Amino acid sequence: MRTGQTKGTGAALALMLASGFAGLGYQVVWTQQAGLWLGHESAAVLAVVAAFFGGLSLGALGLGARIERTTRPLRWYAALELCIAAWGLVLMFMMAPASAALLSLIGARPSPAWQWAVAFGGSFFLLLPATVAMGATLPALERVVAQWRGSSRSIAALYASNTAGAVLGVLASAFWLIPTLGLTRTAALCVALNLGCAALALFALRGESARVVLTQTAQPGQHAMLMRLALTGLLGIAYEVLVVRVLSQVAEDTVYTFAMLLTVYLIGTAAGAAAWQRWLADKADSSTKLLAALALACLLGTASLWAAEWLQAMLLSSLGPGMAAALAVEAALAVAAFALPTLLMGALFSQLCAQASQTGLSFGRAIGFNTLGAAFAPLIFGVMLVPLLGSKWTLLLIPLGYLALIPPPGWRLALAPAAATVALALLTPPLAFVDVPEGGRILSYQEGAMAAVSVVEDANGVSRLRINNRQQEGSSSSLAFDARQALLPLLLHPAPKQALFLGLGTGMTASSAADDATLQVDAVELLPEVIQASAHFTERLNEGQARPNLHLLAADARRYVRAGSSAYDVIISDNFHPARSGSGALYTVEHFQAVRARLADGGLFCQWLPLHQLDLLTLRSIVRSFLIAYPDASAVLANNSLETPVLGLIGRPTAGSISLAAAKARLAAATFATPPARFGLEDEYALLGSYVAGPAALSAFAGEAPANTDDHPVVAHLAPRITYAPDSAPRERLLSLLQELSAQPVPDEAAEPRLAAYRAARRQFIEAGLHIKPSNNLHVMLAQVQGPLLAVLATSTDFRPAYDPLLRMAQALAGSGNPADRAAAHDLLTQLARLQPARQEAGLALSALANE
C-alpha cells in the first residue's frame, strides 16, 4: 500500500473511532432522556436500542445504493456527519417538549400494548434523522477506502474501529461526561465530534475519491445471504438483551452496571472483527464453522449465568471492598457471558459482509439487513418471549437459531451444539435468581417484560417482596413501620379526602391509609407483577376483604403525575432505592414540581427517603432539589430504627405549620379502623415529635450540593457509591444527620419545651442504640439497655419508644418464676411508673405481680 493510501486508511479509522464515540454517547444520553417519559430504564434501553438499529437499517438500505454508485463518497460521508450533528443539535432543544408530547400520547394509564407501541414508535421517529445518517456513514467511508483495495473489499477494520470508539463513548459518558456535564452538554460534545469528523474527512481525505469503485455483478444466493445477515443481527442483539436482563438480578443494576455490560459486549465484537481481518480475511469461507462455534459459545455464555452468583461472591472475596473492585466484578460477570460469543459475532458479521460483497451485494444492503434484524430483537425477545417462556428457554432459542442457519453440508458441525442445547434445557433449573433463607420457600415468582418479581417466606413465616432478587422495603411482619409511612403524612393534613401513593411495594402502606373509610386512596405501581404480589401481604389486613376505597393502578409514577388530572390532598412517594437504574428520576426537581402541581389547595407531599441506602452527599442533593420545589419544606423521621432509618421530606405549596392543638384535634378526629396509637402515634407529642428539621435547617444541610435535575441526574451517579462500597453503617449516618438538623419550633410557645424534650430523648435513644449488641439472653440485653433507656425516659415523659421495650422485659422477668427475676421486674416496673406516670401499663403490671 502506498504511503498516501496508508495515511488515508489511518485517517478513515480515526474518523470511525470518533464517530463511534459520538454514536454511543448519543445512545447513552437518549436512553436516559427516554427513561424520563417511558418510566423505567429497562424499557428505555429496549426502545432506544430498537430505534437505533431501525434507523441504522433504513440509512444503510435507503442510502447505501446511492453511495455505492457515487463518484464522491467522501462528500456523502461528510454530509452524513453534518446531518447527525444537526439533529443532535435539534434534540438538545427539542427533546424536552418532544418527551412531554410522547408522555401525553401514552397517557396516565395506558394498556401494555399502547405503552410499548408508543415507546418503540415514538423513540424510532424521534431519533430517526440522526440514526438514518448514522446507518450510512460506515458504507460511505468504506467506499472511500475501497478504491485503495481494488477488488478486495472488507468492512472489518472500519467496523472494529467504529466499535472501539463506541466502547470509549459508553465509558466516558457514563463515568465522566454525564456526571460532570449533564445530558445536554454531553450531547453537545457529541455534536462537536460529528462536526469535527466532517471537517477532518474533507481536509485529510480530499481528492481521494475521484473514481467509481466497480462492484461485481449479481450472483446467486443474494436472498439467502440477506436472510442470514438479518437473522444473525436479530440473534446477536437478542443475546445482549437477555444476558443484560439476567445479570441485572445478580449485579447491582445501577447506571454503571449497564455501561459495564455494554462495554464488554462492544469490546468483544470489535475484537472479533479485528481478528477476522487479521487472520481470516484471506482464508476460505468460514461462515459455517463460525455459526457452529457461535452457537456453542452462546451455550457456554448462558451456562455461565447459572454460576454468576458464585463467581460474584468468589471475586468479591478475593478483591475486597471498594467501588472499583465491585465494578471489576460486574465486568468479570459480563466477560464470562459475553467474551467468547461477541468475539465470534464480530468475526461472523465481517465474514458475512465479505461474502455478501462477493455475491454482488453492497455493504449498505448487508449492514441494512443486519441492523434490521437487530431492530426487532428488543421487542420480540425482551418484551414478548421473556414473559411467555422465561429467560432460560428464551436464551436457549438463540443457539438453536444460529444452528438453523448452517447449510445442509455443514450439519454435522451442528450436532454437538444441538446436543448441548438439549442437555442444558433438560438438566438445568430456570434462570431465576431468588435468595431463599434457610428453611424458607418461594411463594410466587413472575418474570415480566421489565423485571422479575418474587415473594419469599422465611422459616418464621415472614414474607418479603423481591424485585430482580433485591429485597424491597417492608414485609409481612413490618406493619408497624409501613403504616407509619402512611399515617404520618395523612395526620399532618387537617382533613384529607384524596390520597395518592407513588409506588406500591408490599401494599401495606397504601392499605393502612385505606383503613380510613372516608379516604379515597389511589396507589400507582409500574410493574403489574408487583400489584399481583402485593396480595400476599395485604390479604391478612381487613380480614381478607378488599377495600373499596383502595384503587391499585398499573402506571408509571412520573408519567401518572404529569399526564393525569386529578388533584390530591396528600401525595406520598415510596422510598425508592436511589441507586437502582431509573430510580434517580423520581428525585429530580422537575418531578417534585410536577407533584406540587397535582396537590389540591392546602395539600401536602411526603417523599420518603431510605437513609440505609443513601450516603449524606446524595441526600444533600435530594434535599436541595426538594427545596427548589418546596422552599418551606420540613423533615420527619418515620421510625427510630438504626438499621433501616427512613426520613420524610414534607412539602406544601404554601408556607404553613401545624400547631399542637391542631395535631391533637386531628388525632381525635381520625377515623382509621385501627387507632394510630397502635403504631406509636398515640398523642400530639408523638406526631409533632417526629419532626427533625425545618426549612432553615434543611437549607443549611443541603448547602451548595448540586441539584438533581432531569438534565443533570447527579443522584443516579452519586448513589451507587454506597451501594458498591458502603463507607458507614446506617446508624452512623442517621446520627450524623440528626446532629446537623434542628426542628422548627411549633407556634405554641408553651408546648415547645415538651417537644424539645421529646426530640432530645429521641436523639438520646438513638445514641444509646449505637452501643447495643443484640442478644437472645434477656438478662444480657437488660443489662445493656436498662440504664440508657431509663435515662431517656427521664429526659421526656412523652417518649414512648424507650418505655415499651423495658415494659416487655419487665413482664418477661415477672413471668419467669425466679424470685430474683420477679424482684428485678418489680424494681423496673416501679421506675417506669414513676418516670411516665401517664402510662398505665407499668402500674397494672405491678398490681398483677403483687396479686400473684
Side-chain angles (χ1 to χ4, degrees):
M1 185 178 288
R2 298 190 305 270
T3 303
Q5 295 172 357
T6 302
K7 180 180 178 182
T9 302
L13 293 175
L15 288 171
M16 280 288 94
L17 187 79
S19 186
F21 185 109
L24 263 292
Y26 284 129
Q27 184 174 337
V28 172
V29 168
W30 292 339
T31 296
Q32 293 198 29
Q33 291 175 328
L36 297 174
W37 59 274
L38 287 175
H40 197 282
E41 195 81 358
S42 65
V45 168
L46 294 176
V48 172
V49 166
F52 251 76
F53 282 110
L56 294 177
S57 174
L58 285 183
L61 291 174
L63 301 175
R66 296 188 65 182
I67 291 172
E68 191 71 16
R69 294 191 301 266
T70 185
T71 60
R72 298 188 178 277
L74 185 60
R75 291 190 179 182
W76 268 93
Y77 173 78
L80 292 168
E81 291 287 358
L82 290 174
C83 285
I84 299 169
W87 194 248
L89 187 63
V90 168
L91 288 182
M92 285 171 55
F93 299 98
M94 295 303 297
M95 181 61 82
S99 296
L102 288 169
L103 186 147
S104 298
L105 182 61
I106 292 180
R109 297 180 58 192
S111 67
W114 178 247
Q115 175 180 334
W116 286 112
V118 177
F120 282 99
S123 299
F124 175 74
F125 287 109
L126 182 62
L127 309 181
L128 188 60
T131 54
V132 164
M134 289 178 190
T137 54
L138 188 53
L141 204 54
E142 189 280 331
R143 265 287 278 113
V144 175
V145 175
Q147 64 181 329
W148 306 321
R149 295 181 177 272
S151 60
S152 175
R153 299 180 63 178
S154 172
I155 207 168
L158 293 174
Y159 174 71
S161 182
N162 189 251
T163 308
V167 169
L168 297 176
V170 170
L171 292 175
S173 297
F175 286 90
W176 174 45
L177 294 175
I178 294 176
T180 304
L181 303 177
L183 297 174
T184 298
R185 287 193 288 177
T186 298
L189 180 62
C190 295
V191 168
L193 275 175
N194 292 130
L195 294 174
C197 285
L200 177 62
L202 293 174
F203 173 77
L205 300 178
R206 62 187 184 278
E208 296 289 348
S209 55
R211 62 185 180 87
V212 176
V213 176
L214 299 176
T215 59
Q216 297 176 340
T217 58
Q219 301 292 325
Q222 285 190 350
H223 293 297
M225 179 56 63
L226 291 175
M227 181 61 68
R228 185 177 289 188
L229 282 160
L231 290 176
T232 53
L234 173 74
L235 296 171
I237 297 303
Y239 185 77
E240 178 199 0
V241 167
L242 294 172
V243 170
V244 168
R245 167 66 183 274
V246 172
L247 286 181
S248 68
Q249 301 176 56
V250 180
E252 289 295 346
D253 195 25
T254 70
V255 65
Y256 301 119
T257 301
F258 178 70
M260 293 304 298
L261 296 179
L262 182 56
T263 294
V264 173
Y265 183 92
L266 292 170
I267 288 174
T269 55
W276 181 89
Q277 181 67 37
R278 176 66 176 83
W279 289 295
L280 297 177
D282 298 326
K283 305 295 183 183
D285 176 16
S286 57
S287 60
T288 297
K289 293 179 180 179
L290 286 172
L291 283 167
L294 181 51
L296 188 58
C298 288
L299 285 172
L300 292 173
T302 299
S304 77
L305 297 176
W306 276 282
E309 287 184 316
W310 170 83
L311 179 61
Q312 181 187 51
M314 182 191 70
L315 291 175
L316 285 174
S317 176
S318 301
L319 296 176
M323 184 170 175
L327 289 172
V329 171
E330 292 192 344
L333 296 178
V335 168
F338 279 142
L340 191 56
T342 55
L343 187 73
L344 291 166
M345 287 176 193
L348 178 62
F349 174 70
S350 301
Q351 175 67 46
L352 294 179
C353 284
Q355 289 181 240
S357 178
Q358 293 169 9
T359 65
L361 290 170
S362 68
F363 282 117
R365 292 192 73 192
I367 294 171
F369 272 81
N370 183 260
T371 51
L372 179 63
F376 285 97
L379 177 62
I380 295 174
F381 285 83
V383 177
M384 296 180 177
L385 291 180
V386 167
L388 181 65
L389 303 177
S391 294
K392 169 186 168 178
W393 293 101
T394 307
L395 267 167
L396 291 179
L397 290 177
I398 293 174
L400 292 177
Y402 283 121
L403 294 177
L405 295 176
I406 296 177
W411 280 355
R412 62 182 179 82
L413 295 175
L415 294 179
T421 303
V422 173
L424 274 182
L426 297 178
L427 301 178
T428 56
L431 267 174
F433 294 93
V434 183
D435 292 336
V436 181
E438 185 176 354
R441 61 184 179 131
I442 299 175
L443 298 180
S444 70
Y445 179 85
Q446 284 185 289
E447 276 197 272
M450 290 179 281
V453 177
S454 58
V455 178
V456 179
E457 184 180 77
D458 65 19
N460 297 318
V462 177
S463 301
R464 290 179 171 82
L465 176 69
R466 306 185 77 86
I467 300 177
N468 279 344
N469 199 28
R470 289 174 186 82
Q471 183 175 316
Q472 305 303 298
E473 298 301 312
S475 70
S476 60
S477 65
S478 63
L479 178 61
F481 280 2
D482 297 338
R484 284 178 65 90
Q485 292 186 13
L487 298 180
L488 270 171
L490 291 171
L491 291 172
L492 291 175
H493 188 285
K497 298 300 179 185
Q498 301 281 341
L500 172 65
F501 285 78
L502 302 179
L504 181 64
T506 62
M508 304 278 273
T509 302
S511 293
S512 298
D515 206 29
D516 180 353
T518 68
L519 182 69
Q520 293 298 313
V521 179
D522 291 342
V524 174
E525 172 57 49
L526 176 64
L527 302 176
E529 297 80 17
V530 169
I531 294 178
Q532 297 176 41
S534 67
H536 288 279
F537 302 91
T538 59
E539 61 186 1
R540 301 173 189 174
L541 304 179
N542 198 35
E543 299 179 348
Q545 300 297 313
R547 299 183 187 274
N549 61 325
L550 176 59
H551 317 289
L552 304 183
L553 313 176
D556 168 59
R558 274 185 63 107
R559 188 170 62 238
Y560 184 84
V561 165
R562 292 180 179 230
S565 57
S566 301
Y568 293 92
D569 299 307
V570 176
I571 298 178
I572 301 171
S573 185
D574 201 5
N575 46 340
F576 303 102
H577 195 312
R580 300 296 175 226
S581 187
S583 295
L586 294 166
Y587 296 119
T588 66
V589 172
E590 292 84 354
H591 176 61
F592 292 150
Q593 291 171 334
V595 170
R596 176 174 176 154
R598 296 295 299 276
L599 290 173
D601 291 341
L604 174 151
F605 172 47
C606 176
Q607 174 65 68
W608 293 115
L609 299 169
L611 293 182
H612 49 293
Q613 297 165 344
L614 275 168
D615 64 297
L616 293 186
L617 181 59
T618 305
L619 179 60
R620 294 181 203 277
S621 284
I622 295 176
V623 171
R624 172 84 184 279
S625 307
F626 196 86
L627 286 169
I628 292 174
Y630 304 92
D632 295 299
S634 53
V636 297
L637 202 60
N639 56 53
N640 296 308
S641 170
L642 295 176
E643 303 307 321
T644 57
V646 176
L647 182 75
L649 299 178
I650 304 294
R652 305 172 189 266
T654 56
S657 59
I658 181 170
S659 67
L660 199 69
K664 184 176 183 179
R666 176 69 181 96
L667 284 165
T671 55
F672 295 97
T674 303
R678 178 182 168 186
F679 306 112
L681 297 171
E682 63 278 356
D683 58 27
E684 60 272 27
Y685 291 98
L687 178 59
L688 295 188
S690 64
Y691 277 97
V692 293
L698 286 177
S699 181
F701 173 77
E704 298 301 318
N708 185 47
T709 67
D710 286 352
D711 185 62
H712 198 180
V714 294
V715 166
H717 294 86
L718 285 176
R721 297 180 309 167
I722 201 166
T723 301
Y724 286 117
D727 58 357
S728 59
R731 57 182 60 195
E732 296 169 345
R733 295 195 292 276
L734 173 61
L735 188 59
S736 296
L737 174 68
L738 293 179
Q739 289 171 346
E740 291 193 53
L741 298 180
S742 60
Q744 184 176 12
V746 296
D748 187 350
E749 293 184 4
E752 178 56 30
R754 285 182 66 178
L755 279 173
Y758 187 99
R759 292 191 288 267
R762 178 184 56 224
R763 180 173 298 182
Q764 195 175 347
F765 178 78
I766 292 172
E767 290 174 346
L770 294 175
H771 310 291
I772 302 301
K773 296 180 179 180
S775 172
N776 292 325
N777 187 303
L778 175 61
H779 297 88
V780 171
M781 281 300 295
L782 187 60
Q784 293 184 82
V785 305
Q786 181 171 343
L789 293 188
L790 288 175
V792 170
L793 295 178
T795 300
S796 170
T797 59
D798 302 299
F799 190 77
R800 179 141 191 167
Y803 182 93
D804 291 334
L806 289 176
L807 177 66
R808 288 193 295 269
M809 290 181 182
Q811 291 170 333
L813 288 171
S816 71
N818 185 307
D821 286 347
R822 291 170 62 84
H826 183 276
D827 178 64
L828 180 54
L829 289 170
T830 300
Q831 294 186 73
L832 289 176
R834 176 178 59 82
L835 289 171
Q836 290 205 352
R839 315 285 186 195
Q840 299 181 7
E841 295 93 331
L844 293 174
L846 276 171
S847 299
L849 184 62
N851 293 330
E852 291 182 1

